[in-house]
Amino acid sequence: MHIVVCIKQVPETRDVAMDPDKGVLRRSEAAGKLNPFDLYAVEAAVGIKEKLTGRVTAITMGPPQAEQVIRESFLMGTDEGVLLSDPAFAGADTLATAFTLARGISLLDRPDLIICGIQTTDGDTGQVGPGIAEFLGLPHASYVRSIREITREGLLVEQDLGDRIAIVSLPYPCLITVGKGIGQPRLPSFRRLLATKDFPVVTWGSKELGFGDEVYFGLDGSPTQVERIFPPKIEREQIIFEDGDLARQLYQKLVELKFVG
Amino acid sequence: MWGDGLAHLTIDRNRCNRCGLCLAACPFDALKMEKEIIVGDDCRLCRICIKECPQGAIAIRGRLEDRGNRSLYQGVMVVAEEFAGTIHPVTYELIGKGSQLAAASGQEVGCLLMGHNLRSQAEELLTYGLDWVYLCDHPALAHFRIEPYTACLAAAVDRAKPSTVLVGATPIGRSLAPRAAVRLRTGLTADCTMLEVRPDGELVQIRPAFGGNIMAQIVTRHHRPQMATVRYRVMDPAKAGPSRGRVIPLRLTETQLASSIQVLEVLPKAQEESITDAKVIIAGGRGLKRKQDMDLLRALAHSLGGQIASTRPLVEMGWVEHNRQIGLSGRTVRPQLLIACGISGAVQFAAGISSCETIIAINKDRRAPIFDVAHYGFVGDLYEIIPRLLTHLGKGGRINAL
């Protein structure tokens, strides 16, 4: 059983800077951490490996320092790591990101299962997982909240569809995106810190991935362009009450607005 | 098939009967008849052969086409969402916004409806001012399964050639739209909260990112259609009226309808009172001192016929259930009235209340950012104001039904 888990380094906080010329986010300034939703993806992958035996490859796209999240995943039980890193990959939208990851995955031993977090905490789109599945021509199920059965042929999962739950079976190879319901992610094992110290992380750039005639890397390969980034602003008329009997004034306001009468 | 997504024009050998109509139709002489039909380098992905083929054997899994001739793509297509015969309300919001966008450029607005036994729903959708409804009605579409739904959306785009495709940012929409966008090799913007159209038809898509700390304005400059998922409860729904459009059946091949996914069961999630449906919300923040002080808010909610909600810290402390959290990492709400009690109003929270009709804030700190978003700000101690407000409400008696 070969499982690939797609992970991402996201900023430690959501306070971010932007590149005013390119209109893209400056990622290098903020310290990074593993996307919180990816902890569940790693947990699911390692959990399945333990049940069926096999190995887990963690893959990420990002700047060289994104190797850190691969190392972090080693501490949770992944076995191999691939970092897709090249200045040409920078500024990728979700299509270009999905393409690049799909390319990287297509160079690995063919996986039975690919697992992604439901979304990241920086982009919040949740689009990359389904995009990878499409580039690779695999069935996928998003928003998997629990895995009911794991067999050698496929998975039986519960999908959270908002107001309802769908119980669906998928044959391998397939892709799922997972969130909180999957179970508490294991803590990094410090025993593994020593054991994985010499685990190699393979780095591939556009030279390794840029074969064939259909290539979408980075800003140039992205159909969407960020025109500008701006802080949210709210323009509204406002009345501030500071003096007098505030409770009475509030009550009168509710009457005036016809919420009570 | 493995890696198939990276291919371009494909010919299904099992369906092809070598009739040669595609060769005759191809304006670029790109097709050759050997043992099977071979697609040459001259193929410009013009799709003429696809329409010509009586066997439905030719399909496009295209490269990122330069859809340079943007005028080929016109109007707005809304992807309807349906479950068990009921249209998801976000559909009407998309139609409302889609109609505005189409009207701005004098173009058509239509809808794609996929599922099984949905003829009457398709007719009903027409009453919302649509020019057309593509109806793909087949037992294989009874449940949402990603492969046939993606094929259906891609086929509808091929037929209708819309400039803009709007999909609800629901779990299903957020699974379907990115897959379809990759198949169509076009751009998709997630979770839009504002959409405008430029005179040249370019869609200006605005969405929150980084938990609402940043708004991003995004365009899909060279590719069509321009796809966006749109947050539920942000746009104003369309209103029903007389229908003028027509229902157009959309038929898929067995290959397009095939799926390796089996839906075994669909269960309703345990009924919860959802704050996203509430007309009145009383929300608490860190200005509350103890867990039991939430009772003060519950009493106010009770007397105004509303529900309680909170900011993230209170959820993290376990004072309030997580499904009552408002904000970027919680829910977006749009009640008629929201009273924010002891809430500072960080952007993450403010992002979740931007669509409330009326916001009243009670906070001791005059500089709290909540006063920038509130319509009516009361600078004072909630522990003094709310008990006395409850007394007034007790005397006032009747609560206006909402």
Side-chain angles (χ1 to χ4, degrees):
Chain A
M1 183 89 182
H2 183 207
I3 304 166
V4 169
V5 58
C6 303
I7 61 179
K8 184 184 185 189
Q9 189 176 42
V10 297
E12 192 74 48
T13 71
R14 287 178 158 190
D15 299 327
V16 290
M18 55 174 284
D19 184 324
D21 298 328
K22 288 188 188 153
V24 296
L25 294 168
R26 245 185 237 156
R27 297 293 168 99
S28 51
E29 290 173 9
K33 64 172 182 183
L34 180 57
N35 173 41
F37 289 109
D38 296 346
L39 292 170
Y40 300 101
V42 174
E43 173 59 36
V46 174
I48 294 170
K49 174 185 83 167
E50 286 169 347
K51 197 157 176 190
L52 293 185
T53 73
R55 64 199 168 89
V56 178
T57 304
I59 189 167
T60 192
M61 181 183 92
Q65 63 266 31
E67 180 179 332
Q68 200 186 314
V69 294
I70 299 272
R71 299 241 159 247
E72 198 177 328
S73 80
F74 286 159
L75 304 186
M76 292 175 68
T78 64
D79 305 288
E80 284 158 39
V82 177
L83 168 64
L84 309 177
S85 190
D86 192 308
F89 299 163
D93 73 355
T94 57
L95 182 135
T97 304
F99 171 82
T100 308
L101 285 163
R103 265 291 158 91
I105 294 167
S106 74
L107 294 181
L108 301 171
D109 290 340
R110 182 172 168 161
D112 303 286
L113 177 61
I114 301 168
I115 307 182
C116 304
I118 53 168
Q119 63 189 54
T120 58
T121 52
D122 52 356
D124 299 309
T125 72
Q127 289 177 178
V128 171
I132 293 170
E134 174 64 19
F135 273 120
L136 294 174
L138 304 178
H140 85 264
S142 293
Y143 302 102
V144 168
R145 67 165 203 175
S146 88
I147 300 172
R148 281 198 176 183
E149 279 175 36
I150 305 157
T151 68
R152 298 220 159 261
E153 287 73 45
L155 298 177
L156 185 65
V157 301
E158 287 184 18
Q159 259 183 301
D160 187 339
L161 299 181
D163 57 353
R164 58 191 192 274
I165 305 295
I167 295 151
V168 303
S169 75
L170 298 101
Y172 305 129
C174 62
L175 181 147
I176 58 173
T177 77
V178 302
K180 277 180 188 161
I182 223 79
Q184 192 61 38
R186 65 197 63 202
L187 294 169
S189 146
F190 287 95
R191 205 159 44 85
R192 276 185 68 87
L193 189 60
L194 283 176
T196 64
K197 193 164 52 77
D198 299 322
F199 276 27
V201 173
V202 180
T203 302
W204 288 331
S206 54
K207 207 169 109 238
E208 287 78 10
L209 303 186
F211 52 87
D213 59 357
E214 195 199 28
V215 168
Y216 313 114
F217 287 147
L219 203 54
D220 290 342
S222 297
T224 63
Q225 284 107 46
V226 179
E227 282 194 322
R228 67 185 181 110
I229 298 173
F230 56 97
K233 60 163 185 256
I234 296 145
E235 295 162 18
R236 273 175 168 163
E237 62 144 350
Q238 295 178 323
I239 306 177
I240 301 288
F241 300 83
E242 293 185 81
D243 308 306
D245 185 344
L246 293 176
R248 172 141 205 96
Q249 293 174 74
L250 177 48
Y251 174 71
Q252 281 165 347
K253 186 49 76 182
L254 291 173
V255 173
E256 193 184 305
L257 294 167
K258 302 189 176 66
F259 288 106
V260 283
Chain B
M1 294 308 124
W2 188 250
D4 232 17
L6 306 177
H8 8 199
L9 197 70
T10 59
I11 298 177
D12 184 343
R13 255 183 280 176
N14 300 322
R15 303 179 72 87
C16 173
N17 62 1
R18 307 178 74 244
C19 69
L21 283 174
C22 55
L23 272 71
C26 178
F28 305 106
D29 275 332
L31 303 171
K32 305 267 175 303
M33 175 92 72
E34 294 182 19
K35 270 186 191 160
E36 56 194 67
I37 308 278
I38 306 290
V39 184
D41 289 337
D42 291 330
C43 173
R44 304 279 292 276
L45 298 163
C46 70
R47 296 159 197 260
I48 287 173
C49 57
I50 298 176
K51 294 190 190 96
E52 202 61 33
C53 178
Q55 301 294 312
I58 311 179
I60 204 160
R61 306 276 304 262
R63 65 181 82 191
L64 188 60
E65 285 176 74
D66 183 10
R67 295 175 185 235
N69 190 357
R70 302 197 315 188
S71 60
L72 263 180
Y73 291 80
Q74 300 251 325
V76 178
M77 183 170 92
V78 165
V79 178
E81 187 169 328
E82 169 271 347
F83 175 68
T86 305
I87 304 292
H88 192 290
V90 74
T91 306
Y92 303 107
E93 299 175 1
L94 299 177
I95 294 172
K97 179 43 88 177
S99 303
Q100 267 177 24
L101 297 171
S105 46
Q107 297 183 351
E108 295 193 341
V109 57
C111 196
L112 166 65
L113 179 60
M114 310 171 258
H116 186 43
N117 286 332
L118 297 177
R119 181 77 205 188
S120 64
Q121 286 83 349
E123 298 287 349
E124 191 246 322
L125 281 172
L126 281 180
T127 65
Y128 288 85
L130 297 172
D131 295 292
W132 42 263
V133 172
Y134 273 102
L135 173 62
C136 194
D137 201 309
H138 194 280
L141 300 170
H143 287 294
F144 172 73
R145 290 182 302 170
I146 193 66
E147 307 103 312
Y149 270 66
T150 308
C152 190
L153 176 45
V157 166
D158 269 354
R159 284 277 291 278
K161 298 244 180 322
S163 172
T164 292
V165 174
L166 303 181
V167 185
T170 60
I172 283 180
R174 284 168 58 100
S175 179
L176 171 63
R179 183 134 195 169
V182 166
R183 184 160 306 178
L184 296 163
R185 301 297 195 267
T186 192
L188 170 66
T189 304
D191 287 327
C192 295
T193 53
M194 278 188 272
L195 293 169
E196 288 159 26
V197 67
R198 290 183 173 143
D200 66 351
E202 197 162 81
L203 186 69
V204 180
Q205 306 158 87
I206 294 171
R207 68 176 303 256
F210 283 92
N213 280 329
I214 275 182
M215 301 299 286
Q217 178 173 315
I218 296 167
V219 293
T220 301
R221 197 146 279 151
H222 301 295
H223 304 89
R224 292 292 179 273
Q226 311 165 86
M227 294 183 66
T229 64
V230 181
R231 278 222 180 160
Y232 178 33
R233 291 182 181 280
V234 171
M235 306 299 176
D236 295 324
K239 293 196 171 60
S243 52
R244 56 189 167 84
R246 65 208 164 96
V247 175
I248 309 164
L250 183 69
R251 289 189 185 86
L252 297 185
T253 64
E254 288 306 314
T255 320
Q256 289 172 311
L257 288 165
S259 174
S260 57
I261 296 173
Q262 272 185 291
V263 178
L264 305 176
E265 207 177 349
V266 180
L267 309 164
K269 235 164 52 177
Q271 260 313 322
E272 53 192 43
E273 277 188 322
S274 174
I275 56 168
T276 55
D277 296 322
K279 296 277 202 299
V280 173
I281 292 177
I282 313 299
R286 273 190 289 195
L288 286 159
K289 291 171 189 150
R290 296 169 306 170
K291 185 176 181 180
Q292 53 264 47
D293 295 344
M294 284 305 295
D295 288 342
L296 204 55
L297 270 49
R298 282 192 190 91
L300 184 55
H302 181 72
S303 63
L304 289 170
Q307 296 202 25
I308 57 152
S310 83
T311 59
R312 184 172 175 154
L314 270 56
V315 171
E316 283 174 351
M317 289 188 291
W319 293 9
V320 177
E321 303 94 315
H322 73 93
N323 57 7
R324 294 186 179 276
Q325 183 191 325
I326 294 175
L328 234 263
S329 52
R331 314 226 164 163
T332 303
V333 294
R334 50 184 308 183
Q336 293 173 4
L337 172 67
L338 180 131
I339 305 184
C341 308
I343 292 175
S344 66
V347 279
Q348 291 91 329
F349 176 81
I353 62 168
S354 58
S355 298
C356 299
E357 273 178 39
T358 303
I359 299 169
I360 294 179
I362 305 171
N363 199 302
K364 281 198 287 197
D365 180 4
R366 174 65 185 87
R367 290 162 307 165
I370 192 71
F371 289 123
D372 298 333
V373 300
H375 301 95
Y376 305 102
F378 291 81
V379 185
D381 187 348
L382 71 95
Y383 287 96
E384 285 166 21
I385 297 175
I386 296 177
R388 297 193 37 241
L389 174 62
L390 285 168
T391 317
H392 284 300
L393 288 168
K395 281 183 210 151
R398 197 167 58 87
I399 303 160
N400 276 1
L402 293 165

